[in-house]
Amino acid sequence: MTPFSSGTTPSGTGMFPTLQTPSAAVPHDAPAWNPQRPSAMPHHRYRSGHARVEVPLTGRTWPSRQLTRAPLWVPVDLRDGNQALAEPMDTERKRRMFDLLVTMGFKEIEVGYPSASRTDFDFVRHLATSGAVPDDVTVSVFTPARRDLIDRTVASIEGLPRTLVHLYTATAPTWREVVLGRSRAEVHRMILDAATHLMRRAEERPGADIRFEFSPEVFNLTEPDFVLEICDSLTELWEASPDRPVVHNLPATVEIATPNLYADQIEYMHRHLARRDCVILSVHPHNDRGTGVACAELAVLAGAQRVEGCLFGNGERTGNVDLVTLALNLYAQGVNPMVDFSDIDAVREVVEHCNRLPVHPRHPYGGDLVHTAFSGTHQDAISKGMAHHAKRAAELGVPDKDAPWEVPYLPIDPGDIGRTYEEVIRINSQSGKGGIAHLLHAHHGLDLPKAMRPDVSRTVQHATDASGKELTHHELWELFRTTYITPGQDGPLALAGWETSQAGPGEHRFRCTVEEDGRRRSLHGTGNGPLSAFADALASIGLTVDILSYAEHSTSSGPGSPAVAYAECRVGDTMCWGVGWDTSILAASVGAVLAAVNRAGRAGR
């Protein structure tokens, strides 16, 4: 085991055995408030994206633009996403995914790599013969720039009404030299040869609607002038026109730079592509740096009109760009995403089934926990925000679901994507009084007095600290009931019977029979109200009870709805809250005082 520079190791020998606390000198230009030291990791082996590809762009305009409409979304779950699965989809899973994508509203779907496997070929044939493809949906198929593979790809789409054949070749210098072993000119000739062959094969089917797409793989590491040279030659060769445009798809196959560099590359292409009105400029970002979503959004600002990606970002390495996040990011800005995520859990269920991969609970928008708050400060803000939202909707005279949305910590209304409010606030040891009060109100009709909330919060934190687990709202209610209500119904001091009467204005009498330690005693007291008379009766057995605060309300509407009462009492020197629950508000109030008395420790007296 290698020791840390301090000569100590973390508890549990063997943890982090190769880590060394950085010990080099603090950089001379570092400010005094930043004492970080260079690590020994060999960062000099790598070059920045700016050093690896030069983008001759001046006067960029994308930083000042806004996203105001959705691009054409093209899901590649059935091809690129499928290639990245440990267990690629069979026809049943592929068909389920395809049907989901159609139902959601996608109009162009990449369905496979027919020359790569029998399963992919057979699935394309299944779509062609089953009538599964709606009239307004275009099917895309993927092929390398090789004649034999193009032939098999074209054979697979026989009978499909509208298809896009997606041709690709790697064009970046490292790929040309290491993988292909060809020069720039040789790669260009290879692409033109394949594209010509594809066009001739398509011409053999005069009634078919076949369009073309080209991807210079690893575009983001390819010289911009070379990409322009290739793309412009294909636009010419394929006789692109405004009504039959060619797709030039520019992938960030492996992310190597900050998203602004990719945006510069896209804007450069957008400005310089020949016959721009005959070209659909498309992007296909991957997520190696974790910035795939940012790359796609900035690329659209820079002129891209089409985005290829996967639902929840499945794909090789760290994945393709996530279409769920992209679309709902637009939605959160007031832009129609043009696809339907109104039941995101149903979408996720299909994707998890087909991919056999779980969606992370913190995944934007779709994860189990993304609309959930455990932190007390977050819970309090959400609870107040929800109440404000309901009030504002009432003032506007519209349903809550139609009112403008401005709730802290929730960028969109969970209800818009099929989520309920049950899981927005969840309770653990980090939770606060606002969130606890919100759940008790939402699920059980309780409106805890503000003065009582800290006491309830301490009770909950004690329970969750002891268990180390979160509480469901059912468990929260059970904890509240047994702590605050049950002592008034089944405590050491019990009421065997009681009655009240009013002797005159401001003069009330309380008569009761109490049981304690197996003994029954009859008590009576007077006061300016029933509860003060009850307290006076308890004084006759040595209990000094001061009712410091009191609140009551009905838990729901209707004649048989339960009432709840809250009483804060000083019993001797002890302060306690008690809660009563009954269809009679008077019975509930007596139960609340009795619960406080029992909680104060009268048992055994």
Side-chain angles (χ1 to χ4, degrees):
M1 180 179 68
T2 303
F4 284 73
S5 59
S6 62
T8 62
T9 58
S11 60
T13 57
M15 289 181 62
F16 315 122
T18 61
L19 287 182
Q20 293 277 354
T21 301
S23 58
V26 174
H28 66 87
D29 56 349
W33 48 262
N34 185 354
Q36 292 179 152
R37 299 171 182 269
S39 82
M41 295 176 66
H43 66 282
H44 60 274
R45 300 178 61 206
Y46 305 98
R47 291 187 296 155
S48 73
H50 293 271
R52 297 176 71 179
V53 60
E54 182 180 352
V55 183
L57 179 68
T58 57
R60 61 180 55 82
T61 61
W62 61 261
S64 61
R65 294 179 184 162
Q66 295 183 13
L67 296 174
T68 58
R69 61 182 298 174
L72 176 64
W73 307 117
V74 182
V76 296
D77 301 76
L78 292 165
R79 193 276 301 175
D80 200 344
N82 188 54
Q83 289 175 215
L85 298 178
E87 300 178 47
M89 298 180 214
D90 55 19
T91 296
E92 181 275 329
R93 286 155 63 202
K94 275 179 166 280
R95 177 60 189 271
R96 188 172 179 187
M97 178 73 81
F98 179 81
D99 289 345
L100 169 70
L101 297 171
V102 169
T103 300
M104 293 176 69
F106 291 103
K107 298 304 179 184
E108 188 174 306
I109 303 169
E110 191 170 81
V111 299
Y113 193 158
S115 64
S117 73
R118 165 59 66 178
T119 301
D120 270 31
F121 184 91
D122 288 348
F123 180 67
V124 179
R125 296 306 308 141
H126 165 76
L127 293 179
T129 58
S130 64
V133 184
D135 291 341
D136 61 348
V137 172
T138 297
V139 164
S140 172
V141 287
F142 190 73
T143 181
R146 278 178 44 186
R147 289 188 173 217
D148 57 328
L149 302 182
I150 290 170
D151 289 343
R152 184 158 178 78
T153 301
V154 172
S156 74
I157 62 175
E158 179 71 35
L160 282 167
R162 282 157 314 286
T163 52
L164 183 73
V165 179
H166 182 176
L167 185 72
Y168 85 95
T169 295
T171 55
T174 300
W175 275 254
R176 294 195 308 258
E177 297 162 9
V178 176
V179 180
L180 300 176
R182 302 191 185 199
S183 66
R184 274 179 51 151
E186 289 171 330
V187 169
H188 194 172
R189 282 196 298 272
M190 179 183 72
I191 293 169
L192 285 177
D193 177 73
T196 301
H197 183 71
L198 172 59
M199 183 176 64
R200 298 290 176 249
R201 292 304 312 273
E203 288 172 347
E204 295 171 3
R205 297 178 52 199
D209 184 357
I210 302 175
R211 292 171 43 234
F212 307 124
E213 173 181 356
F214 174 68
S215 286
E217 190 181 1
V218 209
F219 154 78
N220 56 325
L221 277 173
T222 304
E223 306 92 332
D225 66 310
F226 186 40
V227 178
L228 274 175
E229 179 185 320
I230 296 171
C231 289
D232 287 347
S233 66
L234 293 180
T235 302
E236 186 71 25
L237 173 69
W238 283 336
E239 300 177 348
S241 62
D243 59 335
R244 289 190 62 78
V246 64
V247 177
H248 287 315
N249 183 55
L250 308 178
T253 306
V254 180
E255 274 196 312
I256 51 89
T258 50
N260 60 296
L261 180 59
Y262 188 56
D264 283 350
Q265 292 174 302
I266 298 303
E267 183 166 350
Y268 178 82
M269 296 297 295
H270 169 60
R271 289 192 199 175
H272 293 91
L273 279 168
R275 298 168 60 181
R276 183 65 183 85
D277 61 338
C278 304
V279 172
I280 299 171
L281 183 56
S282 174
V283 292
H284 182 118
H286 277 251
N287 198 44
D288 299 86
R289 301 179 75 252
T291 56
V293 166
C295 280
E297 290 180 331
L298 298 191
V300 173
L301 291 175
Q305 301 152 291
R306 178 181 182 272
V307 176
E308 296 183 350
C310 289
L311 298 179
F312 300 107
N314 179 49
E316 297 282 6
R317 303 178 311 280
T318 56
N320 293 288
V321 71
D322 175 19
L323 297 186
V324 175
T325 301
L326 283 172
L328 289 176
N329 279 355
L330 284 179
Y331 183 75
Q333 298 296 309
V335 177
N336 194 309
M338 308 302 285
V339 282
D340 185 9
F341 287 100
S342 60
D343 189 348
I344 200 163
D345 287 336
V347 173
R348 191 184 69 183
E349 179 185 355
V350 173
V351 172
E352 288 183 327
H353 168 79
C354 294
N355 289 344
R356 295 182 177 170
L357 290 172
V359 171
H360 194 280
R362 298 288 184 194
H363 195 101
Y365 301 106
D368 274 337
L369 297 178
V370 297
H371 298 113
T372 297
F374 290 102
S375 160
T377 54
H378 288 212
Q379 292 174 343
D380 184 60
I382 291 171
S383 178
K384 291 175 179 175
M386 297 286 282
H388 177 76
H389 177 73
K391 179 182 177 183
R392 187 179 184 193
E395 291 171 350
L396 294 172
V398 298
D400 285 6
K401 66 182 181 64
D402 294 330
W405 183 256
E406 291 182 5
V407 174
Y409 297 113
L410 296 176
I412 65 171
D413 184 346
D416 288 353
I417 55 175
R419 292 286 177 84
T420 68
Y421 295 112
E422 288 187 12
E423 299 301 322
V424 169
I425 290 177
R426 288 164 62 172
I427 302 302
N428 65 13
S429 61
Q430 303 300 310
S431 303
K433 54 186 184 293
I436 293 166
H438 174 83
L439 285 188
L440 289 171
H441 180 267
H443 296 286
H444 304 287
L446 299 181
D447 187 7
L448 298 186
K450 287 187 177 180
M452 185 185 183
R453 294 181 185 187
D455 190 83
V456 178
S457 178
R458 286 189 292 271
T459 298
V460 171
Q461 288 188 324
H462 178 75
T464 51
D465 276 335
S467 70
K469 299 177 181 178
E470 69 169 293
L471 295 180
T472 67
H473 69 83
H474 300 292
E475 293 167 333
L476 174 63
W477 161 247
E478 187 60 20
L479 176 63
F480 181 86
R481 186 186 67 79
T482 57
T483 303
Y484 296 98
I485 299 176
T486 299
Q489 300 170 337
D490 187 23
L493 181 69
L495 284 175
W498 60 272
E499 63 179 12
T500 65
S501 61
Q502 186 170 5
E507 184 180 353
H508 291 256
R509 294 175 179 170
F510 193 96
R511 295 180 181 275
C512 63
T513 301
V514 298
E515 277 191 15
E516 185 180 23
D517 296 333
R519 298 171 54 204
R520 282 198 173 203
R521 285 184 280 184
S522 295
L523 311 177
H524 68 275
T526 60
N528 60 6
L531 295 187
S532 62
F534 180 33
D536 185 54
L538 293 174
S540 66
I541 58 172
L543 278 172
T544 302
V545 180
D546 293 323
I547 301 171
L548 305 178
S549 61
Y550 173 80
E552 64 183 41
H553 64 82
S554 176
T555 58
S556 60
S557 60
S561 63
V564 63
Y566 313 87
E568 183 186 20
C569 300
R570 181 188 293 115
V571 184
D573 295 327
T574 303
M575 306 274 287
C576 268
W577 280 91
V579 179
W581 182 281
D582 200 279
T583 53
S584 161
I585 192 62
L586 179 57
S589 64
V590 171
V593 172
L594 185 58
V597 169
N598 277 323
R599 290 192 68 228
R602 177 60 180 167
R605 182 183 168 108

